[in-house]
Amino acid sequence: MSKNMADLQQHKTSAKYLTHYAEPEVLSLATFPKESVYQHVIVIPAFQESTQFIERFITSGLVEQQCLVIVVINQPDNDFGRQHQQDQIDLAQYIANQGQETWQQDNLRLIELSTAKESNAKENSAEQRNAEQNSAKQTKNVNSSILIVDRYSKSIPTEQGVGLARKIGADLAIKLAATGNIVSSWVHSTDADAHLPDNYLSAHNSDNSALKNAAATCCNFFHYSDTASIHQANQRYENALRYYVAGLTYAKSPYAYFTIGSILSFDMLAYCQARGFPKRSAGEDFYLLNKLAKLGRVTYLDNVVIKLDARPSQRVPFGTGPAVQHIMQLESQGIDFAYYHPEIFTELKTVLKAFEILWKNKQHPQAWLAELSQISQQALTHVGLLSFITKQSTAKQEQFEKQLIVWFDSFKTLKFIHALRDLGLENMPLEKAIERAAFNL
């Protein structure tokens, strides 16, 4: 496809997405200043966060890379959110104090960081930090801005949570790209607990051959905390994540990638084709990546390493924070943290290999199943393989095999793994599972 044809396709796809699926905030960008043009865009949802992630950005090399940071300051529409509203107000005020407000419309405010304002009504420690930041700005070629999105005055529905917050930010990025205010075709989705390296943005430059046919990227990462118990619990959870992805890679699954919202970047065209982040209070990164992986590669950027603040949390129903909290509770009771049996990934590898001849045996699926272990037969039946085969009974080989990969996606793979677990391959202590696995982390 020629560049002009590709540009036309992207324009049509983004226009359709913005018209039918984008959040209402994009309409407020109608008056966004045309002269405010940025090379890169980062989206960060923030609920009950300190100002440290803003401080880190301002003093990092990223602030010199023509970046627009869209900070969606939000809170859930429940008592917990309302009790902590002052945190959101304070964060918005802090960001506003870091530069000059050059544009405002509805619940959006653009703060240009290149002309910092002094804040006199601060505590001494805060004044000192501001002085250090302003000194750093004077020695840097600051050319970045922060777009504040106020979704705390009008709270986010509790059940839509961080998914909606991420979607608002990403939709704004898509709209600004469509109007020529963002040059890069990548949206960088991260969190306030992430320490972003200086090569975070440049790794996504158009001349990076590793990004060919990529719909998304996942950066390398590690968790850290000065508190030993939190650090140890996070290390166990991180090992579990790496063990799971290593197991999928060993099984040759096309869905072998990390699903962590703070290390994710995605191509704008693919994002529009996937119809954006799902509006969920947790797991939004998993479900978006599940769609993106069907549109292109999910590329792992090993040399872009993000440090993540290790912290327990109950702000979302599941994910890193609650998992770490759970591990800490287990450790306090002297109970091992258990995870998937390594034999599960051997079963998965055998099944995926057997999929290569499934089309030839689609008229006799029971005979094909009989060549697998009893437990894999039961697990595949549980996740609905026979129903899939029936629906694809008239499909030609190429179409059948393509649809099989789409059907047996990351969600179906996880259901298959859980079925194997429930059928007898029970969880075991993580360290023992890693030791016995046929693959390395």
Side-chain angles (χ1 to χ4, degrees):
M1 184 184 295
S2 69
K3 184 179 185 301
N4 288 341
M5 287 296 292
D7 290 345
L8 180 61
Q9 180 187 354
Q10 175 141 357
H11 174 74
K12 287 183 176 180
T13 303
S14 61
K16 180 180 178 181
Y17 176 81
L18 291 168
T19 300
H20 297 288
Y21 305 108
E23 297 306 308
E25 274 81 1
V26 301
L27 300 175
S28 300
L29 292 172
T31 61
F32 193 86
K34 294 179 180 179
E35 65 275 11
S36 297
V37 178
Y38 306 92
Q39 188 67 36
H40 306 283
V41 60
I42 298 173
V43 174
I44 304 176
F47 165 57
Q48 204 186 353
E49 296 289 355
S50 74
T51 61
Q52 291 181 353
F53 73 104
I54 300 297
E55 295 170 19
R56 287 197 300 268
F57 176 77
I58 290 173
T59 56
S60 76
L62 300 177
V63 79
E64 299 179 284
Q65 297 179 32
Q66 291 182 288
C67 182
L68 176 66
V69 183
I70 301 176
V71 182
V72 184
I73 307 178
N74 69 95
Q75 67 186 41
D77 185 17
N78 57 25
D79 289 341
F80 182 73
R82 286 185 284 274
Q83 289 167 8
H84 294 87
Q85 186 172 41
Q86 191 60 45
D87 293 335
Q88 282 66 260
I89 295 171
D90 291 346
L91 177 59
Q93 186 58 53
Y94 177 84
I95 294 173
N97 289 342
Q98 302 313 304
Q100 178 182 355
E101 182 178 304
T102 57
W103 175 80
Q104 186 276 328
Q105 183 68 43
D106 302 325
N107 63 332
L108 309 180
R109 279 193 289 167
L110 183 65
I111 308 300
E112 186 179 305
L113 295 175
S114 55
T115 53
K117 293 189 295 184
E118 294 292 343
S119 176
N120 298 321
K122 303 285 184 184
E123 298 177 4
N124 288 338
S125 60
E127 286 180 355
Q128 185 175 357
R129 284 201 305 271
N130 283 344
E132 290 171 354
Q133 289 162 19
N134 291 337
S135 175
K137 290 172 189 171
Q138 291 168 10
T139 61
K140 290 177 178 291
N141 178 27
V142 178
N143 52 21
S144 296
S145 300
I146 299 177
L147 180 63
I148 303 172
V149 184
D150 174 0
R151 281 309 305 263
Y152 56 90
S153 297
K154 179 184 177 183
S155 300
I156 281 178
T158 303
E159 68 278 4
Q160 297 182 359
V162 67
L164 176 54
R166 290 196 198 278
K167 186 173 186 296
I168 290 169
D171 289 357
L172 289 168
I174 299 298
K175 178 63 176 178
L176 289 171
T179 56
N181 295 96
I182 304 293
V183 176
S184 173
S185 62
W186 288 88
V187 176
H188 306 282
S189 173
T190 188
D191 287 309
D193 64 352
H195 298 238
L196 305 175
D198 285 349
N199 67 338
Y200 175 65
L201 300 173
S202 59
H204 292 81
N205 286 345
S206 57
D207 59 354
N208 185 349
S209 60
L211 302 182
K212 186 177 180 181
N213 299 322
T217 65
C218 293
C219 295
N220 200 350
F221 66 96
F222 69 96
H223 292 86
Y224 181 80
S225 173
D226 290 328
T227 305
S229 59
I230 297 176
H231 182 78
Q232 183 176 350
N234 261 277
Q235 192 62 55
R236 280 215 166 84
Y237 182 66
E238 183 178 316
N239 285 343
L241 296 176
R242 295 189 182 280
Y243 167 76
Y244 183 73
V245 173
L248 294 179
T249 302
Y250 165 75
K252 297 187 177 178
S253 167
Y255 298 94
Y257 48 73
F258 295 102
T259 56
I260 304 173
S262 49
I263 65 171
L264 169 65
S265 298
F266 47 83
D267 174 74
M268 292 184 182
L269 175 60
Y271 176 84
C272 292
Q273 291 172 327
R275 297 186 181 177
F277 273 107
K279 294 187 274 191
R280 304 169 53 96
S281 58
E284 76 291 341
D285 40 14
F286 175 90
Y287 287 100
L288 176 62
L289 272 166
N290 192 36
K291 291 182 178 181
L292 293 175
K294 299 170 185 178
L295 298 169
R297 291 171 50 241
V298 179
T299 299
Y300 180 61
L301 300 178
D302 183 58
N303 65 333
V304 183
V305 184
I306 298 176
K307 173 185 173 183
L308 301 174
D309 289 332
R311 55 186 186 181
S313 173
Q314 292 295 338
R315 292 180 300 174
V316 293
F318 59 88
T320 302
V324 170
Q325 190 81 35
H326 174 64
I327 293 170
M328 292 178 67
Q329 290 172 352
L330 290 176
E331 290 177 345
S332 69
Q333 300 168 28
I335 302 172
D336 288 325
F337 172 56
Y339 208 55
Y340 301 124
H341 196 293
E343 189 63 28
I344 280 176
F345 299 101
T346 302
E347 293 289 330
L348 176 62
K349 183 183 180 74
T350 301
V351 165
L352 292 176
K353 181 65 177 175
F355 276 171
E356 295 176 5
I357 59 170
L358 179 55
W359 182 80
K360 295 178 182 177
N361 294 272
K362 66 176 181 174
Q363 302 303 329
H364 307 284
Q366 295 296 347
W368 178 86
L369 279 169
E371 296 297 317
L372 300 173
S373 68
Q374 189 68 33
I375 195 171
S376 282
Q377 291 180 47
Q378 292 177 278
L380 285 171
T381 301
H382 174 76
V383 301
L385 178 65
L386 294 177
S387 176
F388 167 81
I389 294 172
T390 300
K391 291 177 182 178
Q392 298 291 325
S393 59
T394 60
K396 294 183 178 180
Q397 182 173 0
E398 183 179 356
Q399 180 67 10
F400 180 92
E401 292 177 347
K402 179 180 179 181
Q403 288 303 316
L404 180 59
I405 292 172
V406 169
W407 176 78
F408 202 73
D409 58 10
S410 58
F411 180 64
K412 199 74 70 177
T413 298
L414 185 60
K415 286 187 69 175
F416 175 75
I417 287 170
H418 286 176
L420 291 174
R421 177 196 63 192
D422 298 341
L423 288 165
L425 289 176
E426 297 179 354
N427 289 356
M428 64 168 55
L430 175 63
E431 284 74 15
K432 185 179 291 186
I434 292 172
E435 182 181 331
R436 288 179 54 177
F439 49 87
N440 297 319
L441 266 63

